[in-house]
């Protein structure tokens, strides 16, 4: 099962390696990992997507909670939540492809944020499946470069993760 | 008043009422050692290798209740210390390890004796710190002591760059500390405790399984009270020995890979299992799938939530400090209207006595070759069962655990989790410093002892009258046993040719050496060592039967009740 684990952690040097080290040392899988400071600069929020049985995810949560710098851990996927990922795609955009690329980007609510004579950079957000679907919808041979942030997410409604 | 970083380190250790620092100086810690020189509130013990500094601090802690403290220099000082740190981590021993680091500006430049200490030690410490500002130094050391001892204990490392030790700031040592990210649970959940008490009272074939957590949390008196109140059988892990008196009738001895027949059978066939401060590890329950074949209700008390349902699913998890939870259980048992099921219990004890009838620890002592088991039994007699016994790792460790009956906690000191050869001698040093009047014996083998043999020099310097019981069978005995049993008698690299003359070696270090070759000489030699040479270190090189094996044995991957007994071979 795919789980999205959100972590509030002290924003200190080495915090990321404590978390990633825990995953590699115990053989847990990381599909994606994002991290950045929160509105309280002393805290970072990390989002990890991992795949594992319920037992493994339970161990992951417990082991994360054991890390001294971890303030809170929640498994977002346990309840209603929203997840988003940002992707930047650089595509070749010349001739008839130029118009077609703009059209597909619009359908996916993407935005063209850089334009040259021969290329676009398209910014796209959504869940992972939507980003994949966009890549499937365009001519792959036109893709020059892609970069994805990995998933971040929040719980819906009253579910709040705060120190 | 403004103090230098080096002065602050010393002041912090004094504030923590540290008695001993085990260590080894070097470039990055020179300023700290300079301040250490100017004070006499605590003593520094100079070892001969950094690994030994950590083992000694570790055993100092295991044999007292105090936090062990050690200090080493950057680079190789740290890498040598890693084995000791990992040993303490695996057995949850509270340590504060202070390490020197190259000056802040040199970090990352591949400077002389630079190593990424925080990176190297991260997986084997409870937590570690790199101090980047002298103003953080005192509070960091305070945190280190706090973290080491609270919750599930463990080693905490503080890495201090050399320039920090010369910079000055105001010194203020915090009285207490709180961290928003660290709040270990103490009290167990009352609903779960109620459920546990109920299950215990309904049990027909109950069993108590106690581990190192009982020793670490000083809960052996509570455990003894609960066990006696219930009248249940109890078994202990390698780390839990001494947590309940081994000579008591309710004790089934140690369980696990080399546990007694009765302990393993009762563990496998019980209907309610009370696990206390133990973690169901692979050496204890064997194959978890086989263990799970029998339906039983499991109550698990542990301070560390991640120990619960890690290898075995439990029915009543209780996260909390073991003595507090046992107190609560005891209260409920005393207040309960019902008593444990007497009829069920009687027939269960009858079954257990049948298993005991197997006498799974029996061995034969002839007149030619010394049996290692016999040596440990004689050691037990000669020391009146009251010694602190440290061990290295291998067959001798198992025999010491099986045949020396520990009635009190903190008397049995061994590397259970990591299984570190070389632990025994430095551990004996640490134990002796913590217990300056105690009889301290190190049960070891000719292979293990050579992994930290240099500490014979430290023992001389500090006049430590340790008795080294070297069960010398000429082989890496446990490796040889596995090769005999599972690798077609192919003794690949397990025979140690060219052993030193241990008697001369002991003498070269200024100690007494005795060589014992006949069974009849074992007891007199032990008496000579423990009585005549009471105040000296004695190295007893005891030549034992090279073919002796440790039984019972649960082979790797097998179930607990699938034991190989001595009589089977």
């Amino acid at each position: 099962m795919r789980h999205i684990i959100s972590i509030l952690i002290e924003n200190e040097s080495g915090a990321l390696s404590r978390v990633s080290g825990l995953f590699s040392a115990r053989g847990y899988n990381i599909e994606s990992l994002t991290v950045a400071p929160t509105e309280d600069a002393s805290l970072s929020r990390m989002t990890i997507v991992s795949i594992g049985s319920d037992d493994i995810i339970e161990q992951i949560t417990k082991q994360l909670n054991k890390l001294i710098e971890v303030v809170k851990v929640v498994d977002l996927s346990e309840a209603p939540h929203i997840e988003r990922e940002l992707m930047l795609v650089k595509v070749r955009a010349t001739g008839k492809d130029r118009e077609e690329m703009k059209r597909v980007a619009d359908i996916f609510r993407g935005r063209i944020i850089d334009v040259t004579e021969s290329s676009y950079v398209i910014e796209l957000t959504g869940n992972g499946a939507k980003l994949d679907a966009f890549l499937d919808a365009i001519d792959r041979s036109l893709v020059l470069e892609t970069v994805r942030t990995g998933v971040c997410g929040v719980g819906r409604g009253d579910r709040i993760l705060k120190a | 008043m403004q103090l230098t970083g080096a002065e602050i380190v010393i002041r912090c250790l004094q504030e923590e009422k540290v008695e001993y620092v085990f260590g080894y100086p070097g470039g990055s810690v020179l300023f700290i050692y300079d301040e250490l020189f100017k004070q006499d509130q605590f003593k520094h013990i100079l070892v001969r290798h950094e690994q030994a500094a950590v083992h000694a601090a570790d055993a100092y802690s295991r044999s007292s209740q105090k936090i062990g403290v050690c200090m080493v220099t950057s680079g190789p000082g740290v890498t040598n210390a890693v084995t000791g740190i990992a040993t303490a981590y695996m057995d949850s021993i509270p340590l504060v390890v202070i390490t020197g680091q190259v000056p802040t500006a040199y970090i990352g430049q591949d400077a002389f004796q630079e190593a990424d200490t925080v990176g190297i030690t991260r997986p084997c410490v409870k937590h570690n710190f790199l101090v980047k500002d002298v103003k953080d130094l005192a509070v960091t050391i305070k945190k280190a002591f706090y973290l080491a001892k609270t919750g599930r204990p463990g080693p905490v490392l503080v890495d201090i760059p050399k320039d920090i030790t010369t910079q000055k700031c105001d010194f203020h040592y915090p009285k207490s500390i709180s961290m928003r990210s660290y709040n270990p649970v103490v009290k167990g959940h009352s609903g779960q405790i109620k459920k546990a008490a109920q299950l215990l009272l309904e049990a027909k074939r109950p069993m108590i399984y106690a581990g190192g957590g009982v020793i670490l949390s000083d809960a052996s008196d509570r455990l003894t009270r609960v066990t006696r109140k219930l009248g249940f059988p109890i078994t202990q892990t390698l780390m839990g020995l001494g947590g309940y008196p081994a000579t008591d009738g309710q004790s089934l001895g140690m369980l696990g890979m080399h546990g007694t027949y009765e302990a393993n059978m009762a563990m496998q066939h019980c209907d309610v299992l009370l696990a206390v401060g133990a973690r169901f590890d692979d050496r204890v329950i064997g194959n978890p799938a086989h263990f799970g074949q029998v339906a039983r209700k499991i109550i698990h008390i542990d301070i560390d939530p991640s120990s619960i349902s890690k290898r075995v699913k439990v029915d009543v998890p209780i996260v909390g400090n073991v003595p507090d939870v046992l107190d609560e259980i005891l209260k409920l048992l005393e207040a309960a209207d019902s008593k444990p099921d007497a009829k069920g219990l009687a027939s269960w004890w009858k079954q257990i006595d049948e298993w005991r009838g197997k006498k799974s620890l029996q061995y034969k002592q002839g007149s030619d070759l010394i049996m290692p088991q016999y040596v440990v039994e004689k050691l037990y007699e000669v020391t009146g069962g009251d010694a602190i016994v440290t061990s290295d790792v291998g067959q001798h460790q198992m025999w010491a655990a099986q045949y020396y009956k520990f009635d009190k906690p903190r008397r049995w000191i061994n590397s259970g989790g990591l299984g570190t050869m070389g632990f025994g001698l430095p551990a004996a040093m640490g134990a002796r410093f913590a217990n300056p009047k105690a009889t301290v014996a190190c049960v070891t083998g000719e292979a293990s002892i050579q992994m930290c043999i240099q500490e014979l020099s430290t023992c001389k310097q500090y006049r430590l009258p340790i008795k080294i019981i070297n069960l010398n069978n000429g082989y890496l005995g446990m490796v040889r046993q596995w090769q005999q049993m599972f690798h077609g008698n192919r003794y690949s690299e397990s025979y140690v040719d060219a052993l030193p003359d241990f008697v001369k070696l002991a003498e070269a270090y200024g100690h007494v050496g005795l060589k014992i070759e006949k069974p009849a000489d074992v007891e007199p030699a032990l008496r000579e060592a423990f009585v005549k040479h009471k105040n000296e270190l004695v190295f007893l090189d005891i030549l034992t039967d090279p073919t002796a094996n440790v039984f019972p044995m649960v082979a790797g991957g097998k179930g607990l009740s699938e034991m190989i007994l001595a009589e089977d071979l």
Side-chain angles (χ1 to χ4, degrees):
Chain A
M1 258 280 279
R2 175 175 176 274
H3 290 257
I4 305 170
I5 298 166
S6 274
I7 305 163
L8 276 183
I9 187 165
E10 298 288 351
N11 185 9
E12 277 167 27
S13 70
L16 173 60
S17 57
R18 284 185 210 282
V19 172
S20 62
L22 168 69
F23 274 73
S24 62
R26 294 193 181 264
Y28 304 143
N29 136 299
I30 298 183
E31 291 286 301
S32 74
L33 186 159
T34 69
V35 57
T38 64
E39 79 284 2
D40 170 356
S42 71
L43 286 171
S44 286
R45 178 148 169 172
M46 219 177 262
T47 311
I48 297 178
V49 177
S50 183
I51 292 173
S53 65
D54 288 352
D55 288 351
I56 288 177
I57 300 295
E58 183 186 333
Q59 264 298 312
I60 291 177
T61 339
K62 284 175 169 177
Q63 293 291 348
L64 283 169
N65 267 312
K66 235 169 100 172
L67 293 177
I68 304 300
E69 286 167 344
V70 166
V71 180
K72 263 187 190 152
V73 179
V74 293
D75 182 351
L76 279 185
S77 34
E78 267 181 350
H81 64 279
I82 301 152
E83 60 173 281
R84 286 290 182 273
E85 189 175 353
L86 169 72
M87 174 168 72
L88 301 177
V89 198
K90 188 180 287 179
V91 292
R92 180 168 289 123
T94 51
K96 65 171 176 31
D97 294 333
R98 222 169 151 82
E99 191 46 42
E100 173 63 10
M101 199 55 80
K102 167 90 173 69
R103 206 174 61 79
V104 180
D106 285 344
I107 293 171
F108 281 84
R109 295 171 203 269
R111 295 195 303 147
I112 295 173
I113 54 173
D114 184 57
V115 179
T116 70
E117 278 176 17
S118 59
S119 72
Y120 287 153
V121 173
I122 301 165
E123 174 198 308
L124 205 66
T125 56
N127 61 23
K130 175 182 164 184
L131 305 188
D132 292 340
F134 174 76
L135 292 175
D136 288 341
I138 60 175
D139 180 352
R140 284 289 179 116
S141 68
L142 298 176
V143 175
L144 299 171
E145 193 179 344
T146 64
V147 55
R148 295 169 73 148
T149 58
V151 168
C152 70
V154 284
R156 283 188 185 271
D158 291 339
R159 289 183 83 207
I160 289 161
L161 178 62
K162 238 181 149 61
Chain B
M1 197 176 67
Q2 296 245 315
L3 297 183
T4 66
E7 288 169 321
I8 289 173
V9 171
I10 300 301
R11 284 288 299 275
C12 291
L13 298 180
Q14 291 171 342
E15 293 281 342
E16 288 292 338
K17 309 242 174 346
V18 169
E19 289 179 299
Y20 293 104
V21 172
F22 301 86
Y24 204 100
S28 298
V29 284
L30 274 175
F31 289 107
I32 303 176
Y33 270 82
D34 197 36
E35 290 309 318
L36 192 147
F37 184 83
K38 299 174 191 164
Q39 63 88 46
D40 57 5
Q41 230 171 292
F42 62 84
K43 288 199 181 70
H44 179 272
I45 305 303
L46 177 67
V47 294
R48 300 297 180 267
H49 186 293
E50 287 90 348
Q51 180 187 345
V54 191
H55 288 332
D58 170 323
Y60 171 87
S61 173
R62 291 183 202 235
S63 63
S64 56
Q65 302 172 19
K66 301 167 192 162
I67 298 174
V69 182
C70 44
M71 194 186 297
V72 299
T73 194
S74 63
V78 168
T79 54
N80 277 346
V82 166
T83 299
I85 297 170
T87 302
Y89 180 68
M90 286 292 272
D91 291 342
S92 308
I93 306 304
L95 293 187
V96 171
V97 183
I98 293 174
T99 60
Q101 182 54 279
V102 299
T104 315
Y106 291 15
I107 291 178
Q109 313 232 336
D110 301 322
F112 176 65
Q113 292 196 329
E114 180 184 359
D116 174 9
T117 299
V118 165
I120 287 172
T121 59
R122 188 178 301 122
C124 59
V125 292
K126 182 170 175 184
H127 196 59
N128 57 19
F129 299 94
L130 171 63
V131 180
K132 289 178 181 158
D133 185 335
V134 70
K135 291 199 274 302
D136 297 335
L137 186 54
V139 70
T140 304
I141 293 177
K142 179 76 195 176
K143 278 184 187 170
F145 276 89
Y146 170 63
L147 289 172
K149 186 77 185 175
T150 51
R152 180 175 180 173
V156 181
L157 183 145
V158 183
D159 198 26
I160 310 173
K162 190 171 184 178
D163 54 321
I164 301 287
T165 63
T166 62
Q167 289 164 15
K168 284 187 168 184
C169 77
D170 285 328
F171 175 69
H172 165 70
Y173 198 65
K175 283 237 163 354
S176 66
I177 202 128
S178 78
M179 298 163 76
R180 65 175 164 184
S181 62
Y182 178 75
N183 300 293
V185 177
V186 179
K187 284 252 171 275
H189 187 279
S190 60
Q192 297 289 54
I193 292 175
K194 236 176 247 165
K195 257 196 240 170
Q198 195 58 38
L199 265 179
L200 291 171
L201 289 170
E202 287 165 5
K204 300 223 173 328
R205 300 188 310 280
M207 179 72 168
I208 301 173
Y209 148 57
V214 172
I215 312 281
L216 288 168
S217 63
D218 289 311
S220 47
D221 54 337
R222 264 79 148 212
L223 177 68
T224 305
R225 289 219 296 275
V226 169
T227 307
R228 295 218 166 118
K229 173 94 194 148
L230 289 163
F232 290 178
I234 179 168
T235 180
Q236 286 145 103
T237 68
L238 181 67
M239 296 310 296
L241 297 178
Y244 184 86
T247 52
D248 186 89
Q250 280 172 249
S251 170
L252 307 191
M254 182 171 76
L255 84 164
M257 183 170 267
H258 295 297
T260 65
Y261 186 74
E262 55 271 29
N264 285 347
M265 291 302 277
M267 185 81 176
Q268 182 73 11
H269 296 290
C270 63
D271 69 343
V272 172
L273 179 65
L274 174 64
V276 190
R279 58 189 176 93
F280 294 89
D281 86 89
D282 55 306
R283 287 298 195 261
V284 164
I285 57 153
N287 184 341
H290 182 276
F291 185 70
Q293 281 168 12
V294 181
R296 61 176 93 65
K297 294 279 182 204
I298 302 179
I299 304 158
H300 190 178
I301 309 171
D302 205 290
I303 190 94
D304 178 4
S306 75
S307 280
I308 294 176
S309 291
K310 181 166 71 177
R311 299 193 76 244
V312 167
K313 273 269 168 214
V314 309
D315 303 279
V316 185
I318 306 174
V319 177
N321 195 27
V322 167
D324 293 299
V325 175
L326 289 179
D327 270 345
E328 294 295 315
I329 290 182
L330 201 59
K331 257 189 244 164
L332 291 177
L333 292 176
E334 274 162 1
D337 301 329
S338 53
K339 291 255 170 322
D341 181 343
K343 224 175 113 203
L345 209 50
S347 74
W348 178 230
W349 271 111
K350 201 169 150 246
Q351 171 67 70
I352 288 170
D353 285 337
E354 250 170 63
W355 288 327
R356 271 179 170 162
K358 280 261 188 193
K359 295 192 188 311
S360 61
L361 293 181
Q362 221 170 21
Y363 65 94
K364 283 198 190 77
Q365 176 59 66
S367 57
D368 296 337
L369 289 173
I370 300 172
M371 295 304 285
Q373 300 92 325
Y374 176 74
V375 177
V376 177
E377 286 198 320
K378 287 294 156 196
L379 173 68
Y380 176 75
E381 285 173 29
V382 168
T383 56
D386 210 23
I388 294 178
V389 179
T390 72
S391 91
D392 274 294
V393 169
Q395 285 183 318
H396 67 267
Q397 176 190 25
M398 293 301 115
W399 285 316
Q402 290 175 327
Y403 294 91
Y404 200 102
K405 296 181 184 62
F406 295 95
D407 278 344
K408 293 180 193 158
R410 300 189 185 274
R411 296 295 176 88
W412 166 237
I413 315 280
N414 83 132
S415 166
L418 196 66
T420 308
M421 290 170 72
F423 177 78
L425 179 55
M429 302 180 339
R432 174 72 189 187
F433 279 113
N435 303 271
K437 289 195 179 123
T439 302
V440 180
C442 166
V443 176
T444 182
E446 79 292 340
S448 279
I449 191 67
Q450 292 192 80
M451 285 209 189
C452 267
I453 193 82
Q454 76 285 344
E455 296 309 314
L456 283 174
S457 173
T458 312
C459 292
K460 187 65 191 175
Q461 180 170 344
Y462 298 99
R463 305 286 187 269
L464 302 175
I466 292 159
K467 308 296 182 263
I468 297 171
I469 317 294
N470 188 38
L471 301 178
N472 185 346
N473 59 7
Y475 282 94
L476 311 185
M478 193 56 94
V479 173
R480 191 202 56 73
Q481 176 169 345
W482 282 56
Q483 289 171 334
Q484 180 190 349
M485 295 172 73
F486 312 118
H487 298 276
N489 298 303
R490 290 180 299 281
Y491 298 123
S492 179
E493 303 297 321
S494 56
Y495 180 69
V496 187
D497 209 349
L499 285 173
D501 179 333
F502 286 110
V503 171
K504 278 190 188 157
L505 187 67
E507 287 169 359
Y509 278 106
H511 302 302
V512 178
L514 299 172
K515 187 168 188 170
I516 300 102
E517 295 174 273
K518 291 202 187 67
D521 296 338
V522 170
E523 193 176 336
L526 286 169
R527 293 211 183 274
E528 185 180 345
F530 283 95
V531 181
K532 185 178 159 200
H533 299 294
K534 187 171 186 290
N535 297 320
E536 288 163 286
L537 185 149
V538 184
F539 193 116
L540 294 112
D541 186 24
I542 305 176
L543 303 192
T544 60
D545 182 352
T547 63
N549 285 335
V550 183
F551 292 111
M553 178 168 189
V554 179
K558 291 285 184 184
L560 255 191
S561 55
E562 302 173 312
M563 275 167 280
I564 306 167
L565 299 178
E567 63 188 31
D568 297 338
L569 295 180

